[in-house]
């Protein structure tokens, strides 16, 4: 998955296909798509009813003949045909006509760290179906680091953590390459699932899917930390009766419920640091960890990492779109490679 900056400069558009959101950057235009990776399909006719935000709002609210699907899981395209149909509708006719006019259309795409050949092939096939003659794959960790402004090309350590919906990736970068990295199958969805299971077991309450994130925001202030609010009221459905019911939830219990998935992330950070050369670890003691990805905004997550690692922890200015911005910067030629001149004999 090694691709040169010169090859990326020849690309016309870039795609970040995430489990939660899909983003498309068009060279010379900017970020043109930032929508949920969701599509609603009529199972009787096979027709596409909605994509993106509108399809996301339909989740859990559709009759039996409408199915809401996610063609991307864990950063991997699991339904190539549906992913192509979703991207066509998200781009729109005007943007697709503009791209089709490009001679030998080239595309770039993010791929998870250590993605297997089948996963890489699925991403390539998806973009080939949109008319791309050539597809360049860029490691998500590199793209996100470039997008949040880390000096990845310098001979010094930078540590980045991409907090996705389905997985969390951690890496130490130096001289424009990945020194050590790890990918944990734990992300924002695992945290959501832990909260839902806690409410079901402890309070007999079924929480609607779209109410999990508002619950996390309700714990804002200092978030999921001991300094946050002591309790909050949650509305849901009673497990036994099926009737609507409200309960007051102790936020300390919620913090305990999400410790298991977050502990897996801490273990991954520990493995990366143990495999990293000592000189680079010394750099990280000052620079710390940069958090990107939508799940980086989980209230109190950065503070928990800061206490566990005793290192500075920073959240990027726009953590959700860093990978797409990084791809765009490489397409536009705003990143200069480090030139190493050979020593004279």
């Amino acid at each position: 998955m090694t691709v040169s900056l010169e090859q990326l400069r020849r690309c016309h558009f870039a795609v970040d296909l995430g489990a939660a959101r899909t983003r498309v950057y068009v060279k010379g235009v900017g970020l043109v798509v930032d929508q949920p990776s969701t599509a609603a399909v009529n199972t009787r006719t096979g027709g596409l009813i909605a994509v993106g935000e509108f399809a996301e709002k339909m989740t859990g609210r559709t009759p039996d003949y409408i199915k809401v699907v996610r063609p991307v899981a864990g950063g991997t395209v699991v339904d190539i045909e549906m992913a192509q149909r979703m991207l066509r509708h998200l781009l729109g006719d005007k943007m697709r006509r503009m791209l089709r006019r490009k001679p030998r259309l080239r595309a770039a795409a993010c791929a998870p760290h250590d993605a297997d050949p089948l996963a890489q092939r699925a991403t390539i096939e998806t973009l080939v179906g949109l008319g791309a003659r050539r597809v360049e794959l860029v490691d998500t960790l590199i793209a996100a680091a470039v997008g949040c402004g880390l000096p990845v090309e310098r001979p010094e350590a930078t540590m980045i953590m991409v907090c996705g919906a389905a997985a969390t990736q951690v890496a130490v970068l130096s001289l424009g390459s990945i020194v050590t990295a790890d990918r944990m199958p734990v992300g924002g969805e695992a945290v959501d699932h832990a909260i839902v299971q806690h409410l079901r077991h402890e309070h007999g309450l079924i929480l609607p899917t779209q109410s999990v994130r508002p619950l996390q925001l309700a714990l804002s202030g200092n978030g999921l930390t001991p300094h946050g609010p002591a309790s909050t009221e949650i509305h849901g459905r009673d497990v036994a009766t099926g009737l609507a019911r409200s309960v007051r939830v102790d936020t300390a219990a919620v913090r305990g419920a999400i410790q298991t998935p977050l502990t897996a992330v801490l273990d991954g950070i520990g493995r990366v640091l143990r495999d990293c050369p000592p000189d680079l670890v010394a750099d990280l003691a000052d620079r710390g960890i940069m958090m990107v990805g939508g799940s980086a905004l989980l209230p109190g997550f950065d503070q928990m990492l800061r206490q566990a690692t005793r290192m500075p922890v920073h959240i990027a200015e726009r953590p959700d779109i860093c990978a797409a911005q990084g791809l765009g910067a490489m397409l536009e030629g705003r990143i200069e490679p480090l030139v190493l001149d050979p020593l004279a004999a």
Side-chain angles (χ1 to χ4, degrees), residues 278-292:
D279 290 343
L280 294 182
V281 174
D283 290 344
L284 296 175
D286 296 328
R287 296 186 181 88
I289 305 171
M290 177 65 75
M291 296 176 65
V292 302

Side-chain angles (χ1 to χ4, degrees), residues 15 46-47 52 105 175 228 242 251 291 328:
V15 179
L105 185 65
L175 288 173
T251 55
M291 296 176 65

Side-chain angles (χ1 to χ4, degrees), residues 38-61:
T38 312
V41 185
N42 186 326
T43 57
R44 296 173 180 171
T45 64
L48 204 59
I49 296 174
V51 296
E53 297 280 2
F54 189 35
E56 183 80 5
K57 292 178 181 178
M58 297 169 67
T59 303
R61 294 181 167 89

Side-chain angles (χ1 to χ4, degrees), residues 17-19 37 69-84 118-119 122-123 126:
L17 275 169
S37 304
V69 298
R70 293 182 178 273
V72 184
T76 302
V77 178
V78 294
D79 187 338
I80 295 175
E81 181 184 358
M82 187 55 64
Q84 291 173 349
L118 286 177
T123 302
T126 299

Side-chain angles (χ1 to χ4, degrees), residues 46-104:
L48 204 59
I49 296 174
V51 296
E53 297 280 2
F54 189 35
E56 183 80 5
K57 292 178 181 178
M58 297 169 67
T59 303
R61 294 181 167 89
T62 60
D64 57 358
Y65 67 92
I66 297 178
K67 184 179 180 181
V68 178
V69 298
R70 293 182 178 273
V72 184
T76 302
V77 178
V78 294
D79 187 338
I80 295 175
E81 181 184 358
M82 187 55 64
Q84 291 173 349
R85 295 173 67 185
M86 180 186 74
L87 278 170
R88 288 192 193 103
H89 282 79
L90 289 176
L91 281 170
D93 294 335
K94 182 179 178 181
M95 188 58 63
R96 282 191 290 125
R97 281 197 300 269
M98 188 192 83
L99 290 175
R100 278 201 298 265
R101 288 197 292 266
K102 303 287 185 182
R104 293 191 60 82

Side-chain angles (χ1 to χ4, degrees), residues 15-24 31 33-38 52-54 56 70 72 75 86-87 90 110 164-166 189 213 293-295 318 320-321 323-324:
V15 179
D16 177 18
L17 275 169
R21 298 185 75 87
T22 292
R23 299 173 178 90
V24 181
L31 194 65
V33 173
D34 184 4
Q35 294 278 340
S37 304
T38 312
E53 297 280 2
F54 189 35
E56 183 80 5
R70 293 182 178 273
V72 184
M86 180 186 74
L87 278 170
L90 289 176
C110 284
E189 292 175 354
R213 289 308 165 98
S295 298
R318 287 292 309 275
D320 50 336
I321 62 171

